[in-house]
Amino acid sequence: MNEIGVEIENVTVTYNGKVALHSASLQLQAGSIHGLVGMNGAGKSTLFKAIMGFVKPATGRISIDGLSIHQAQKRNLVAYVPQSEEVDWDFPVNVHDVVMMGRYGYMNLLRIPRSIDKQSVRASLERVEMWEMRDRQIGELSGGQKKRAFFARALAQQGTVLLLDEPFAGVDIKTEKMMVDLLIELRQSGHTILISTHDLASITTFCDRVVLVNRSILAYGSTDEVFTEENLARAFGGSVGDFSAAKTQIDLDRQQ
Amino acid sequence: MDIIEWFIAPLQYEFMLKAILVSALVGIVCSALSCYMTLKGWALMGDAVSHAVMPGVVIAYILNIPLAVGAFVFGVGSVIAIGFVKEKTRVKEDTVIGLVFTGFFALGLVLVSKVKSSIDLTHILFGNVLGISDGDIIQTVIIAVITLGTLAILRKDLILFCFDSTHARSIGLNITFLYYVLLSLLSLTAVAGLQTVGIILVVAMLVTPGATAYLLSDNFDHMMLIAMASGVFSSVMGTYISYHIDGSTGGCIVVLQTLLFVVAMIFAPKHGMIARSRNSHVDR
């Protein structure tokens, strides 16, 4: 089960001459859940963008399941669940429309859904218990339902690599539990999962591996090895507030 | 009887018949595109492109080629220029848009003033649908076919592009292509629109029907139909009214569109001001 899902070799990303991510090398393993941890501006979203092929690295290369990013896109391999803030919730689309967008890459030019696409959308919506909500305009949903709708889109896309940006921000307990269960299920079926989160406590509960970033990769490896006080202090650059809060959460979590 | 007379009387003139048909067609085309403009947040872009086509229109007149060709080159060219200046300088985008389109527009004014023998500036600025030529009608029909055809074929991709371009890219859609498709359609419809309401008001045709429909529906297809209906209604009725009051046709069309928007803004069942204030009372 130790196949490499995403291989990042010596990747440097710059914006207008400023280095956002320096010489990052990293292997995301298939059948693992990776937690991506770092401060705002540490390069988490840059790493996401690099994996999705939205920024061209100044140096280095990225491959996905052994393919180039372009090939991976054409095969719908990388599914992305956006942060809630990135979505226009007033847009006139309903839940079913959104999940169907996960299938566009498989359809013909006119994007006319075949029965397999409809089945996949239905199965995905049922999996997150949103089938009954399929005709709702997305802005009418609760925070947790919104997340589940976009999670269903990623499921319908049937990629092998799943990127989730702050998936647990503003969601209810039911949604969080459902998503964690689903992620664990996807891990077992060999998906490569990368989750960016501020919720450090949740990382120890279900992430196998952790990636710490601060403009470069500070550490990556199994959660037990990497999630140490010392490493976290480096990742949060002595920002005591963040760190002590995180530490308290982790301690509480470990006591439980 | 008076009402029937009001509608029938102008039709005895061929120019009025043509004007009403062309206005209706332009109303449909611009309204269809306006849904995408509204949802993508491209109102400012629409304003910029519709003004920037001016020199292209004048040069096309001089060279005696279809106006749409000149407009297309300068419409797309202006956006490339905007992108270039934004990337190469520290000036913010809205500033760049403002300065590029006014620069293009001013160039157009200079050109018109130097070749005034054949072009009437007021027709370009304020439209001249009552005096539209057969050649212009054919051009409008061609633009309508291209625009509506493209919007029909790429409908779902364009909706996704407006809604979530990140996802569109991640599944390998060519969003640069979609960007330029929307932009090209914008340039083409600007030409269609400028014949009826003129260059200055064409942005209203490309924004207002979509905004009105956006307040009235949460479903894209319904939004499209509502936008088209309001666009056609305003165009046709505006042309009639301008005939009866002997006023500016473009002005009448856009005033009607704006009134429809105001009605929707106040009375829309879900997103109107009355419904919203009622809902906020319930919440408390």
Side-chain angles (χ1 to χ4, degrees):
Chain A
M1 224 26 179
N2 266 347
E3 285 169 45
I4 294 162
V6 179
E7 167 106 56
I8 298 167
E9 286 173 88
N10 190 30
V11 166
T12 296
V13 178
T14 58
Y15 295 115
N16 300 323
K18 286 183 190 140
V19 177
L21 193 64
H22 179 68
S23 189
S25 290
L26 188 63
Q27 292 171 341
L28 301 181
Q29 291 175 355
S32 290
I33 301 176
H34 306 75
L36 179 60
V37 179
M39 291 188 297
N40 287 332
K44 285 181 297 191
S45 50
T46 301
L47 191 62
F48 271 17
K49 283 181 190 163
I51 295 171
M52 288 191 287
F54 296 175
V55 292
K56 206 172 159 47
T59 66
R61 56 183 291 275
I62 298 175
S63 63
I64 292 161
D65 288 352
L67 301 168
S68 73
I69 289 175
H70 182 70
Q71 289 169 318
Q73 284 176 344
K74 288 288 173 202
R75 289 171 206 206
N76 298 286
L77 291 185
V78 182
Y80 172 68
V81 180
Q83 277 189 57
S84 293
E85 291 77 34
E86 289 172 24
V87 178
D88 176 4
W89 298 106
D90 290 326
F91 203 94
V93 287
N94 64 32
V95 172
H96 194 271
D97 295 335
V98 167
V99 180
M100 191 59 88
M101 288 169 182
R103 302 293 303 172
Y104 281 10
Y106 297 104
M107 299 181 194
N108 61 16
L109 178 69
L110 293 175
R111 316 287 177 208
I112 297 167
R114 301 154 300 167
S115 63
I116 188 177
D117 299 312
K118 290 177 186 162
Q119 281 161 17
S120 174
V121 168
R122 176 162 190 163
S124 304
L125 277 169
E126 282 173 345
R127 189 64 192 77
V128 297
E129 294 176 20
M130 288 288 288
W131 176 248
E132 281 69 37
M133 307 290 242
R134 64 189 178 278
D135 292 328
R136 293 278 185 95
Q137 192 269 332
I138 52 171
E140 296 170 359
L141 306 173
S142 72
Q145 290 167 340
K146 286 174 176 172
K147 256 313 177 256
R148 280 189 267 153
F150 277 83
F151 202 102
R153 181 175 76 179
L155 292 177
Q157 189 183 326
Q158 294 175 340
T160 57
V161 177
L162 201 56
L163 306 178
L164 300 101
D165 201 352
E166 293 292 343
F168 305 121
V171 305
D172 51 284
I173 304 279
K174 180 193 171 194
T175 300
E176 177 161 349
K177 183 166 181 327
M178 183 188 288
M179 286 175 54
V180 169
D181 289 349
L182 257 167
L183 289 171
I184 290 170
E185 209 175 282
L186 291 168
R187 166 175 67 189
Q188 261 138 25
S189 60
H191 287 72
T192 309
I193 300 163
L194 180 65
I195 300 174
S196 120
T197 180
H198 280 97
D199 183 7
L200 297 181
S202 72
I203 287 187
T204 51
T205 62
F206 68 93
C207 290
D208 315 294
R209 303 174 73 79
V210 174
V211 183
L212 290 181
V213 288
N214 193 0
R215 308 222 162 252
S216 64
I217 307 291
L218 293 180
Y220 82 98
S222 70
T223 307
D224 292 342
E225 288 166 28
V226 173
F227 228 52
T228 61
E229 251 177 69
E230 192 195 338
N231 275 340
L232 284 173
R234 280 166 66 209
F236 289 95
S239 127
V240 182
D242 269 3
F243 173 60
S244 56
K247 185 75 181 63
T248 317
Q249 270 185 318
I250 293 158
D251 288 345
L252 280 174
D253 200 57
R254 284 192 174 151
Q255 279 160 24
Q256 284 167 9
Chain B
M1 272 319 272
D2 282 352
I3 289 179
I4 294 169
E5 181 65 19
W6 194 86
F7 280 104
I8 298 289
L11 300 182
Q12 62 189 297
Y13 302 102
E14 198 193 343
F15 76 88
M16 271 306 287
L17 197 61
K18 281 183 187 169
I20 287 167
L21 290 175
V22 169
S23 299
L25 189 60
V26 170
I28 289 176
V29 175
C30 289
S31 303
L33 195 62
S34 77
C35 292
Y36 295 93
M37 296 292 122
T38 318
L39 292 173
K40 188 73 188 160
W42 266 17
L44 188 58
M45 192 76 107
D47 201 19
V49 170
S50 61
H51 280 78
V53 299
M54 173 103 166
V57 170
V58 180
I59 290 169
Y61 257 120
I62 298 169
L63 300 178
N64 202 19
I65 56 174
L67 302 192
V69 175
F72 181 80
V73 170
F74 276 79
V76 175
S78 70
V79 174
I80 292 170
I82 288 166
F84 179 81
V85 176
K86 198 180 85 179
E87 201 184 308
K88 300 290 175 194
T89 68
R90 54 180 286 184
V91 185
K92 292 196 176 71
E93 183 172 25
D94 60 336
T95 311
V96 178
I97 292 176
L99 80 85
V100 169
F101 91 69
T102 45
F104 274 65
F105 187 67
L107 175 65
L109 283 182
V110 173
L111 287 174
V112 170
S113 65
K114 295 314 290 176
V115 289
K116 57 182 163 228
S117 55
S118 56
I119 311 170
D120 189 336
L121 178 62
T122 57
H123 289 171
I124 294 180
L125 293 183
F126 304 111
N128 180 34
V129 74
L130 299 185
I132 197 160
S133 71
D134 288 347
D136 288 344
I137 292 175
I138 291 168
Q139 176 176 279
T140 307
V141 171
I142 292 170
I143 289 172
V145 170
I146 292 173
T147 305
L148 296 176
T150 310
L151 289 181
I153 291 168
L154 292 176
R155 174 174 154 273
K156 292 196 172 168
D157 287 18
L158 288 170
I159 293 172
L160 177 55
F161 171 64
C162 294
F163 174 58
D164 188 350
S165 61
T166 306
H167 176 68
R169 277 171 86 167
S170 76
I171 58 171
L173 299 194
N174 189 341
I175 63 164
T176 311
F177 169 73
L178 294 173
Y179 176 88
Y180 280 103
V181 165
L182 264 193
L183 196 60
S184 305
L185 295 181
L186 180 57
S187 304
L188 287 179
T189 46
V191 179
L194 80 82
Q195 289 167 344
T196 48
V197 300
I199 238 169
I200 293 178
L201 287 177
V202 77
V203 68
M205 306 281 287
L206 289 165
V207 171
T208 312
T212 305
Y214 181 59
L215 292 177
L216 292 169
S217 177
D218 278 333
N219 171 301
F220 186 86
D221 294 338
H222 295 170
M223 178 178 167
M224 183 70 97
L225 291 175
I226 294 169
M228 285 179 166
S230 81
V232 172
F233 175 82
S234 314
S235 292
V236 172
M237 290 304 289
T239 310
Y240 269 112
I241 291 170
S242 80
Y243 170 87
H244 287 292
I245 68 170
D246 194 19
S248 152
T249 315
C252 287
I253 291 171
V254 175
V255 166
L256 267 187
Q257 279 185 350
T258 312
L259 287 176
L260 286 180
F261 175 81
V262 172
V263 170
M265 181 180 81
I266 298 171
F267 297 106
K270 197 170 145 205
H271 304 295
M273 285 162 63
I274 293 175
R276 286 192 141 195
S277 71
R278 200 178 290 148
N279 286 341
S280 66
H281 284 303
V282 172
D283 287 346
R284 277 175 223 154

